[in-house]
Amino acid sequence: MTKTIMILMLTVYSQAKLAIIVLSYYYGTMRLPTATVILSALCSLFCLAIAWFCYNRKVGGATLRLAFLTCAVTAAINMLVVLFAQVGSLSNWELVVTGTLFDPIFFLGSCTIPIRDSAGRKGLTPFARAADHTNAPEKFPTDKTTTKD
């Protein structure tokens, strides 16, 4: 369940970042350096691809940690680029694209959450365990073909 929540969080965050980039360019309000925008867009696309692979292809938790680490590094690099480019004050929407100090702390902290790595192993996903639990065979078979003499 933890892995599913983390995948959903990563997906929503990446989609929001991409939507803000597209809307900012559409309305002509983008003031961020091009390097920041390109790096954020590539990171968001990479994270969406990892989220898709984790959800559909059952890729393990280590790959999900890689996505969170990528988001943390991207936010740190974006903050440095914006610091040296001196774009002035940033709006809240632009802060979502670049990232704040909270982003690396949050994503690096998310890398420490234990995630069950059950990629490629049948019967270890939460859904398979629930199905095995409800359809478990009886402990004592009631085979009436054998009789005691």
Side-chain angles (χ1 to χ4, degrees), residues 129-139:
R129 286 193 303 273
D132 287 343
H133 177 48
T134 57
N135 298 328
E138 297 178 12
K139 290 185 180 182

Short mmCIF file of all heavy atoms in Angstrom, two decimals, residues 129-139:
data_model
loop_
_atom_site.label_atom_id
_atom_site.label_comp_id
_atom_site.label_asym_id
_atom_site.label_seq_id
_atom_site.Cartn_x
_atom_site.Cartn_y
_atom_site.Cartn_z
N ARG A 129 -1.47 -11.52 -1.84
CA ARG A 129 -1.55 -12.03 -0.46
C ARG A 129 -2.99 -12.05 0.01
O ARG A 129 -3.42 -12.97 0.69
CB ARG A 129 -0.68 -11.18 0.45
CG ARG A 129 0.78 -11.43 0.28
CD ARG A 129 1.58 -10.81 1.41
NE ARG A 129 1.35 -9.38 1.55
CZ ARG A 129 2.02 -8.45 0.90
NH1 ARG A 129 2.95 -8.79 0.04
NH2 ARG A 129 1.76 -7.18 1.10
N ALA A 130 -3.77 -11.03 -0.35
CA ALA A 130 -5.18 -10.99 0.05
C ALA A 130 -5.96 -12.11 -0.63
O ALA A 130 -6.82 -12.74 -0.02
CB ALA A 130 -5.79 -9.64 -0.28
N ALA A 131 -5.65 -12.37 -1.89
CA ALA A 131 -6.34 -13.44 -2.60
C ALA A 131 -5.98 -14.80 -2.02
O ALA A 131 -6.83 -15.67 -1.89
CB ALA A 131 -5.99 -13.40 -4.09
N ASP A 132 -4.73 -14.99 -1.66
CA ASP A 132 -4.32 -16.26 -1.05
C ASP A 132 -4.96 -16.44 0.31
O ASP A 132 -5.28 -17.55 0.71
CB ASP A 132 -2.80 -16.33 -0.92
CG ASP A 132 -2.13 -16.55 -2.25
OD1 ASP A 132 -2.83 -16.96 -3.20
OD2 ASP A 132 -0.91 -16.29 -2.35
N HIS A 133 -5.15 -15.37 1.02
CA HIS A 133 -5.73 -15.46 2.35
C HIS A 133 -7.20 -15.86 2.28
O HIS A 133 -7.66 -16.65 3.09
CB HIS A 133 -5.57 -14.13 3.07
CG HIS A 133 -6.19 -14.10 4.42
ND1 HIS A 133 -5.98 -15.07 5.36
CD2 HIS A 133 -7.01 -13.20 5.01
CE1 HIS A 133 -6.67 -14.79 6.46
NE2 HIS A 133 -7.29 -13.65 6.26
N THR A 134 -7.94 -15.33 1.34
CA THR A 134 -9.37 -15.64 1.27
C THR A 134 -9.62 -16.99 0.62
O THR A 134 -10.62 -17.63 0.91
CB THR A 134 -10.12 -14.56 0.47
OG1 THR A 134 -9.54 -14.46 -0.83
CG2 THR A 134 -10.03 -13.23 1.18
N ASN A 135 -8.73 -17.44 -0.26
CA ASN A 135 -8.91 -18.72 -0.94
C ASN A 135 -7.94 -19.77 -0.42
O ASN A 135 -7.52 -20.67 -1.14
CB ASN A 135 -8.69 -18.56 -2.45
CG ASN A 135 -9.70 -17.62 -3.06
OD1 ASN A 135 -10.84 -17.55 -2.59
ND2 ASN A 135 -9.30 -16.89 -4.07
N ALA A 136 -7.60 -19.67 0.84
CA ALA A 136 -6.64 -20.61 1.41
C ALA A 136 -7.27 -22.00 1.50
O ALA A 136 -8.45 -22.15 1.82
CB ALA A 136 -6.21 -20.14 2.79
N PRO A 137 -6.49 -23.03 1.23
CA PRO A 137 -7.04 -24.38 1.34
C PRO A 137 -7.27 -24.74 2.80
O PRO A 137 -6.66 -24.17 3.71
CB PRO A 137 -5.95 -25.26 0.72
CG PRO A 137 -4.71 -24.45 0.84
CD PRO A 137 -5.12 -23.03 0.77
N GLU A 138 -8.15 -25.66 3.00
CA GLU A 138 -8.44 -26.09 4.37
C GLU A 138 -7.23 -26.80 4.94
O GLU A 138 -6.50 -27.49 4.25
CB GLU A 138 -9.65 -27.03 4.36
CG GLU A 138 -10.92 -26.37 3.88
CD GLU A 138 -12.07 -27.36 3.85
OE1 GLU A 138 -11.92 -28.46 4.40
OE2 GLU A 138 -13.09 -27.02 3.27
N LYS A 139 -7.06 -26.66 6.24
CA LYS A 139 -5.92 -27.29 6.87
C LYS A 139 -6.10 -28.79 6.99
O LYS A 139 -5.16 -29.56 6.91
CB LYS A 139 -5.66 -26.67 8.24
CG LYS A 139 -5.16 -25.26 8.15
CD LYS A 139 -4.81 -24.74 9.50
CE LYS A 139 -4.29 -23.31 9.34
NZ LYS A 139 -3.90 -22.74 10.59
#
